[in-house]
Amino acid sequence: TDRKRLHTAPVGQVFRLRPFHVLVATGGGYAGYRKYEDYKLEQLEKRGIEAPVKLASEWEVALYKSVPTRLLSRAWGRLNQVELPTWLRKPVYSLYIWTFGVNMKEAAVEDLHHYRNLSEFFRRKLKPQARPVCCLHSVISPSDGKILNFGQVKNCEVEQVKGVTYSLESFLGPRVCTEELHFSQAPPGNSFQQQLVTKEGNELYHCVIYLAPGDYHCFHSPTDWRVSHRRHFPGSLMSVNPGVARWIKELFCHNERVVLTGDWKHGFFSLTAVGATNVGSIRIYFDRDLHTNSPRYSKGSYNDFSFISNNNKEGIPMRKGEHLGEFNLGSTIVLIFEAPKDFKFHLKAGQKIRFGEALGSL
């Protein structure tokens, strides 16, 4: 009898823990399977073969979202801040450089021993001459990365990659007060897209830039504009690499993101920093109240902050090329803005781009 009790107690404990273990193991295994699918997709792209669009089902998205990516990203963030012994820095950073193809010759400080932890290495600054800002075009790339998609916004839908769209209103959230953004009042019957366009004859445009782990992690102002409002959406932290973006519809609407809205000389302008796995930290330099991937914020909600006040009627002025913020690791920048119909992009889908290079102009 004693022997039976001795054996049944541990079995009961294992039984209570099993659902969590199964969930994590299944979700992690499925994430690994998706990584393998992404690898095959990259091989097809290198051969010039366009892969067919195959969207994830609801259960696949639910399974992926069940992986505790927010918790893992917070743990990764704390690990990144652990100071490495001097003798270990060069081997660790060299492995990262080799894996992701980092060009350290562009870094302001090339000596790997200078970076006390991984976080400092990820957020390394560049030499001033490494990224000249194009003066001939009105909109420049705010970051290094890969162009996933660009063009006009049609039918209130935006393409995250070719053939896969998401809702403009779901992505940006309810329209910000027109008085705050100094916009003209749009008729209430108009669509969400039409309400964002403030000048007759203008169109709404978008551009999606994916930052890989080896890219420069800071992002800058893409044009001269005024930031009036910030909206923070807590959410999932799923991977945003092109393979996953092609697989999950409205991926950017699921993930945590920070939407900055305001206006430029042609009307509405917005820049959205989208979080991803291991990118628990999105920092906006002039916004000290912003705290991303925080346990106090629940998914499915959003919180707003206005930069318009009695003492500041204009918001935060940003000059083209000025430092705006940074990611803790690679992620995605989405630009959605209003411009005249003769605005033209100087891009090709899939091309690599660097901060300061031209996106488009009139």
Short mmCIF file of all heavy atoms in Angstrom, two decimals, residues 73-112:
data_model
loop_
_atom_site.label_atom_id
_atom_site.label_comp_id
_atom_site.label_asym_id
_atom_site.label_seq_id
_atom_site.Cartn_x
_atom_site.Cartn_y
_atom_site.Cartn_z
N SER A 73 9.96 36.63 -25.33
CA SER A 73 10.62 37.85 -25.78
C SER A 73 11.09 38.70 -24.60
O SER A 73 12.15 39.32 -24.65
CB SER A 73 9.66 38.67 -26.66
OG SER A 73 9.34 37.96 -27.84
N ARG A 74 10.29 38.71 -23.51
CA ARG A 74 10.73 39.44 -22.31
C ARG A 74 11.97 38.78 -21.71
O ARG A 74 12.90 39.46 -21.27
CB ARG A 74 9.59 39.49 -21.28
CG ARG A 74 8.51 40.50 -21.61
CD ARG A 74 7.64 40.81 -20.41
NE ARG A 74 6.79 39.70 -20.03
CZ ARG A 74 5.57 39.49 -20.52
NH1 ARG A 74 5.06 40.32 -21.41
NH2 ARG A 74 4.84 38.47 -20.13
N ALA A 75 11.96 37.43 -21.71
CA ALA A 75 13.14 36.71 -21.20
C ALA A 75 14.36 36.98 -22.07
O ALA A 75 15.47 37.19 -21.57
CB ALA A 75 12.84 35.21 -21.13
N TRP A 76 14.14 37.03 -23.39
CA TRP A 76 15.24 37.30 -24.31
C TRP A 76 15.77 38.72 -24.08
O TRP A 76 16.97 38.96 -24.12
CB TRP A 76 14.75 37.14 -25.74
CG TRP A 76 15.74 37.50 -26.80
CD1 TRP A 76 15.71 38.60 -27.61
CD2 TRP A 76 16.92 36.77 -27.17
NE1 TRP A 76 16.78 38.61 -28.46
CE2 TRP A 76 17.54 37.49 -28.21
CE3 TRP A 76 17.50 35.59 -26.73
CZ2 TRP A 76 18.72 37.07 -28.81
CZ3 TRP A 76 18.68 35.16 -27.33
CH2 TRP A 76 19.28 35.89 -28.35
N GLY A 77 14.86 39.65 -23.82
CA GLY A 77 15.28 41.03 -23.56
C GLY A 77 16.15 41.13 -22.32
O GLY A 77 17.16 41.85 -22.32
N ARG A 78 15.78 40.40 -21.26
CA ARG A 78 16.60 40.42 -20.03
C ARG A 78 17.96 39.76 -20.28
O ARG A 78 18.99 40.22 -19.77
CB ARG A 78 15.85 39.70 -18.91
CG ARG A 78 14.61 40.46 -18.44
CD ARG A 78 14.07 39.87 -17.14
NE ARG A 78 12.89 40.59 -16.68
CZ ARG A 78 11.64 40.23 -16.94
NH1 ARG A 78 11.41 39.13 -17.66
NH2 ARG A 78 10.62 40.93 -16.48
N LEU A 79 17.95 38.69 -21.06
CA LEU A 79 19.21 38.01 -21.38
C LEU A 79 20.14 38.93 -22.17
O LEU A 79 21.35 38.94 -21.95
CB LEU A 79 18.91 36.73 -22.18
CG LEU A 79 20.13 35.90 -22.63
CD1 LEU A 79 20.88 35.37 -21.41
CD2 LEU A 79 19.69 34.75 -23.52
N ASN A 80 19.56 39.71 -23.06
CA ASN A 80 20.36 40.64 -23.86
C ASN A 80 21.06 41.70 -23.02
O ASN A 80 22.07 42.26 -23.44
CB ASN A 80 19.49 41.35 -24.90
CG ASN A 80 19.08 40.42 -26.02
OD1 ASN A 80 19.62 39.33 -26.17
ND2 ASN A 80 18.12 40.85 -26.82
N GLN A 81 20.51 42.00 -21.84
CA GLN A 81 21.06 43.05 -20.99
C GLN A 81 22.11 42.53 -20.01
O GLN A 81 22.69 43.31 -19.26
CB GLN A 81 19.93 43.75 -20.24
CG GLN A 81 18.98 44.49 -21.18
CD GLN A 81 17.76 45.03 -20.46
OE1 GLN A 81 17.65 44.95 -19.24
NE2 GLN A 81 16.81 45.57 -21.22
N VAL A 82 22.34 41.23 -20.01
CA VAL A 82 23.35 40.65 -19.12
C VAL A 82 24.74 40.99 -19.67
O VAL A 82 25.04 40.74 -20.84
CB VAL A 82 23.20 39.12 -19.02
CG1 VAL A 82 24.35 38.52 -18.21
CG2 VAL A 82 21.86 38.77 -18.40
N GLU A 83 25.57 41.58 -18.83
CA GLU A 83 26.91 41.98 -19.28
C GLU A 83 27.79 40.75 -19.50
O GLU A 83 27.90 39.88 -18.63
CB GLU A 83 27.56 42.92 -18.25
CG GLU A 83 28.90 43.45 -18.69
CD GLU A 83 29.42 44.56 -17.80
OE1 GLU A 83 28.60 45.16 -17.05
OE2 GLU A 83 30.63 44.83 -17.84
N LEU A 84 28.39 40.69 -20.67
CA LEU A 84 29.25 39.55 -21.02
C LEU A 84 30.68 39.81 -20.57
O LEU A 84 31.16 40.95 -20.62
CB LEU A 84 29.24 39.34 -22.54
CG LEU A 84 27.91 38.95 -23.20
CD1 LEU A 84 28.08 38.88 -24.71
CD2 LEU A 84 27.41 37.62 -22.66
N PRO A 85 31.38 38.78 -20.12
CA PRO A 85 32.81 38.94 -19.81
C PRO A 85 33.57 39.41 -21.05
O PRO A 85 33.21 39.04 -22.17
CB PRO A 85 33.25 37.53 -19.38
CG PRO A 85 31.99 36.79 -19.06
CD PRO A 85 30.92 37.39 -19.90
N THR A 86 34.57 40.18 -20.88
CA THR A 86 35.31 40.75 -22.01
C THR A 86 35.82 39.67 -22.95
O THR A 86 35.76 39.82 -24.18
CB THR A 86 36.49 41.59 -21.49
OG1 THR A 86 36.00 42.58 -20.57
CG2 THR A 86 37.20 42.29 -22.63
N TRP A 87 36.31 38.56 -22.39
CA TRP A 87 36.88 37.50 -23.22
C TRP A 87 35.83 36.78 -24.07
O TRP A 87 36.14 36.17 -25.10
CB TRP A 87 37.60 36.47 -22.36
CG TRP A 87 36.71 35.76 -21.37
CD1 TRP A 87 36.44 36.13 -20.09
CD2 TRP A 87 35.96 34.55 -21.60
NE1 TRP A 87 35.56 35.24 -19.50
CE2 TRP A 87 35.25 34.26 -20.42
CE3 TRP A 87 35.80 33.70 -22.70
CZ2 TRP A 87 34.41 33.16 -20.28
CZ3 TRP A 87 34.98 32.60 -22.58
CH2 TRP A 87 34.30 32.33 -21.38
N LEU A 88 34.53 36.88 -23.65
CA LEU A 88 33.47 36.16 -24.35
C LEU A 88 32.81 37.01 -25.45
O LEU A 88 32.13 36.48 -26.32
CB LEU A 88 32.41 35.71 -23.34
CG LEU A 88 31.30 34.78 -23.82
CD1 LEU A 88 31.90 33.48 -24.37
CD2 LEU A 88 30.35 34.47 -22.67
N ARG A 89 33.01 38.32 -25.40
CA ARG A 89 32.28 39.21 -26.31
C ARG A 89 32.61 38.96 -27.78
O ARG A 89 31.71 38.84 -28.62
CB ARG A 89 32.58 40.68 -25.94
CG ARG A 89 32.02 41.06 -24.58
CD ARG A 89 32.45 42.46 -24.15
NE ARG A 89 32.06 42.70 -22.76
CZ ARG A 89 32.36 43.81 -22.09
NH1 ARG A 89 33.05 44.79 -22.68
NH2 ARG A 89 31.99 43.93 -20.83
N LYS A 90 33.87 38.87 -28.09
CA LYS A 90 34.24 38.71 -29.50
C LYS A 90 33.72 37.39 -30.08
O LYS A 90 33.16 37.39 -31.20
CB LYS A 90 35.76 38.81 -29.66
CG LYS A 90 36.18 38.85 -31.12
CD LYS A 90 37.67 39.16 -31.28
CE LYS A 90 38.05 39.24 -32.75
NZ LYS A 90 39.48 39.58 -32.93
N PRO A 91 33.85 36.24 -29.40
CA PRO A 91 33.30 35.00 -29.96
C PRO A 91 31.78 35.06 -30.17
O PRO A 91 31.28 34.60 -31.21
CB PRO A 91 33.68 33.94 -28.92
CG PRO A 91 34.84 34.50 -28.19
CD PRO A 91 34.63 35.97 -28.16
N VAL A 92 31.05 35.62 -29.20
CA VAL A 92 29.58 35.68 -29.30
C VAL A 92 29.16 36.58 -30.44
O VAL A 92 28.34 36.21 -31.29
CB VAL A 92 28.96 36.15 -27.96
CG1 VAL A 92 27.48 36.44 -28.14
CG2 VAL A 92 29.17 35.10 -26.88
N TYR A 93 29.71 37.79 -30.49
CA TYR A 93 29.33 38.74 -31.53
C TYR A 93 29.80 38.28 -32.91
O TYR A 93 29.12 38.51 -33.91
CB TYR A 93 29.89 40.13 -31.22
CG TYR A 93 29.43 40.70 -29.89
CD1 TYR A 93 30.27 41.51 -29.14
CD2 TYR A 93 28.16 40.42 -29.40
CE1 TYR A 93 29.85 42.03 -27.92
CE2 TYR A 93 27.74 40.93 -28.18
CZ TYR A 93 28.59 41.74 -27.44
OH TYR A 93 28.18 42.24 -26.25
N SER A 94 30.95 37.64 -32.97
CA SER A 94 31.46 37.14 -34.25
C SER A 94 30.54 36.07 -34.83
O SER A 94 30.31 36.03 -36.04
CB SER A 94 32.87 36.57 -34.08
OG SER A 94 33.78 37.58 -33.70
N LEU A 95 29.99 35.22 -33.95
CA LEU A 95 29.05 34.19 -34.40
C LEU A 95 27.79 34.85 -34.97
O LEU A 95 27.28 34.44 -36.02
CB LEU A 95 28.69 33.27 -33.23
CG LEU A 95 27.65 32.18 -33.53
CD1 LEU A 95 28.16 31.24 -34.62
CD2 LEU A 95 27.30 31.40 -32.27
N TYR A 96 27.30 35.89 -34.29
CA TYR A 96 26.12 36.60 -34.76
C TYR A 96 26.41 37.28 -36.10
O TYR A 96 25.60 37.23 -37.03
CB TYR A 96 25.69 37.64 -33.72
CG TYR A 96 24.39 38.34 -34.04
CD1 TYR A 96 23.18 37.84 -33.56
CD2 TYR A 96 24.37 39.49 -34.81
CE1 TYR A 96 22.00 38.48 -33.85
CE2 TYR A 96 23.19 40.13 -35.11
CZ TYR A 96 22.00 39.62 -34.62
OH TYR A 96 20.82 40.25 -34.92
N ILE A 97 27.57 37.91 -36.22
CA ILE A 97 27.96 38.60 -37.45
C ILE A 97 28.03 37.62 -38.61
O ILE A 97 27.55 37.89 -39.72
CB ILE A 97 29.32 39.30 -37.25
CG1 ILE A 97 29.16 40.48 -36.29
CG2 ILE A 97 29.90 39.77 -38.58
CD1 ILE A 97 30.48 41.06 -35.81
N TRP A 98 28.62 36.45 -38.36
CA TRP A 98 28.74 35.42 -39.39
C TRP A 98 27.37 34.86 -39.78
O TRP A 98 27.09 34.64 -40.97
CB TRP A 98 29.64 34.31 -38.90
CG TRP A 98 29.77 33.18 -39.88
CD1 TRP A 98 30.55 33.12 -41.00
CD2 TRP A 98 29.07 31.92 -39.82
NE1 TRP A 98 30.39 31.92 -41.65
CE2 TRP A 98 29.48 31.17 -40.94
CE3 TRP A 98 28.15 31.37 -38.94
CZ2 TRP A 98 28.99 29.89 -41.20
CZ3 TRP A 98 27.65 30.11 -39.18
CH2 TRP A 98 28.08 29.37 -40.30
N THR A 99 26.51 34.66 -38.81
CA THR A 99 25.19 34.06 -39.06
C THR A 99 24.30 34.98 -39.89
O THR A 99 23.63 34.53 -40.83
CB THR A 99 24.49 33.72 -37.74
OG1 THR A 99 25.33 32.84 -36.97
CG2 THR A 99 23.15 33.04 -37.99
N PHE A 100 24.28 36.27 -39.55
CA PHE A 100 23.33 37.19 -40.17
C PHE A 100 23.98 38.18 -41.15
O PHE A 100 23.30 39.08 -41.66
CB PHE A 100 22.56 37.96 -39.09
CG PHE A 100 21.72 37.08 -38.23
CD1 PHE A 100 22.07 36.81 -36.91
CD2 PHE A 100 20.56 36.49 -38.73
CE1 PHE A 100 21.29 36.00 -36.11
CE2 PHE A 100 19.77 35.67 -37.94
CZ PHE A 100 20.14 35.42 -36.63
N GLY A 101 25.25 38.04 -41.41
CA GLY A 101 25.90 38.89 -42.40
C GLY A 101 25.98 40.35 -42.02
O GLY A 101 25.74 41.22 -42.86
N VAL A 102 26.33 40.65 -40.79
CA VAL A 102 26.43 42.03 -40.32
C VAL A 102 27.71 42.67 -40.85
O VAL A 102 28.78 42.05 -40.83
CB VAL A 102 26.44 42.07 -38.77
CG1 VAL A 102 26.58 43.51 -38.27
CG2 VAL A 102 25.16 41.45 -38.22
N ASN A 103 27.59 43.90 -41.33
CA ASN A 103 28.75 44.65 -41.83
C ASN A 103 29.24 45.59 -40.73
O ASN A 103 28.73 46.70 -40.57
CB ASN A 103 28.38 45.44 -43.08
CG ASN A 103 29.56 46.17 -43.69
OD1 ASN A 103 30.70 46.05 -43.22
ND2 ASN A 103 29.31 46.94 -44.73
N MET A 104 30.23 45.15 -39.98
CA MET A 104 30.73 45.96 -38.85
C MET A 104 31.60 47.13 -39.30
O MET A 104 31.89 48.02 -38.51
CB MET A 104 31.51 45.08 -37.88
CG MET A 104 30.64 44.20 -37.00
SD MET A 104 29.46 45.15 -36.00
CE MET A 104 30.57 46.03 -34.91
N LYS A 105 32.00 47.16 -40.57
CA LYS A 105 32.80 48.29 -41.05
C LYS A 105 31.99 49.58 -41.07
O LYS A 105 32.55 50.67 -41.10
CB LYS A 105 33.35 47.98 -42.44
CG LYS A 105 34.39 46.87 -42.46
CD LYS A 105 34.94 46.66 -43.86
CE LYS A 105 36.01 45.55 -43.85
NZ LYS A 105 36.56 45.31 -45.22
N GLU A 106 30.66 49.44 -41.05
CA GLU A 106 29.79 50.62 -41.04
C GLU A 106 29.53 51.12 -39.62
O GLU A 106 29.03 52.24 -39.44
CB GLU A 106 28.44 50.30 -41.69
CG GLU A 106 28.53 49.90 -43.14
CD GLU A 106 27.17 49.52 -43.71
OE1 GLU A 106 26.32 49.05 -42.92
OE2 GLU A 106 26.97 49.71 -44.91
N ALA A 107 29.83 50.30 -38.61
CA ALA A 107 29.52 50.67 -37.23
C ALA A 107 30.41 51.81 -36.75
O ALA A 107 31.60 51.88 -37.11
CB ALA A 107 29.70 49.46 -36.32
N ALA A 108 29.84 52.69 -35.94
CA ALA A 108 30.62 53.80 -35.38
C ALA A 108 31.77 53.27 -34.53
O ALA A 108 32.85 53.87 -34.49
CB ALA A 108 29.70 54.70 -34.55
N VAL A 109 31.53 52.15 -33.83
CA VAL A 109 32.57 51.49 -33.04
C VAL A 109 32.72 50.07 -33.56
O VAL A 109 31.82 49.24 -33.39
CB VAL A 109 32.23 51.48 -31.53
CG1 VAL A 109 33.34 50.79 -30.74
CG2 VAL A 109 31.99 52.89 -31.01
N GLU A 110 33.83 49.76 -34.19
CA GLU A 110 34.05 48.44 -34.77
C GLU A 110 34.58 47.43 -33.76
O GLU A 110 34.44 46.22 -33.96
CB GLU A 110 35.01 48.53 -35.96
CG GLU A 110 34.49 49.35 -37.12
CD GLU A 110 35.42 49.33 -38.31
OE1 GLU A 110 36.00 48.25 -38.59
OE2 GLU A 110 35.60 50.39 -38.95
N ASP A 111 35.19 47.90 -32.68
CA ASP A 111 35.77 47.02 -31.68
C ASP A 111 34.67 46.27 -30.94
O ASP A 111 33.85 46.88 -30.24
CB ASP A 111 36.61 47.84 -30.69
CG ASP A 111 37.30 46.96 -29.65
OD1 ASP A 111 37.29 45.72 -29.82
OD2 ASP A 111 37.80 47.53 -28.66
N LEU A 112 34.61 44.95 -31.10
CA LEU A 112 33.55 44.15 -30.48
C LEU A 112 33.62 44.16 -28.96
O LEU A 112 32.61 43.95 -28.28
CB LEU A 112 33.61 42.71 -31.00
CG LEU A 112 33.40 42.54 -32.52
CD1 LEU A 112 33.48 41.07 -32.89
CD2 LEU A 112 32.06 43.12 -32.94
#
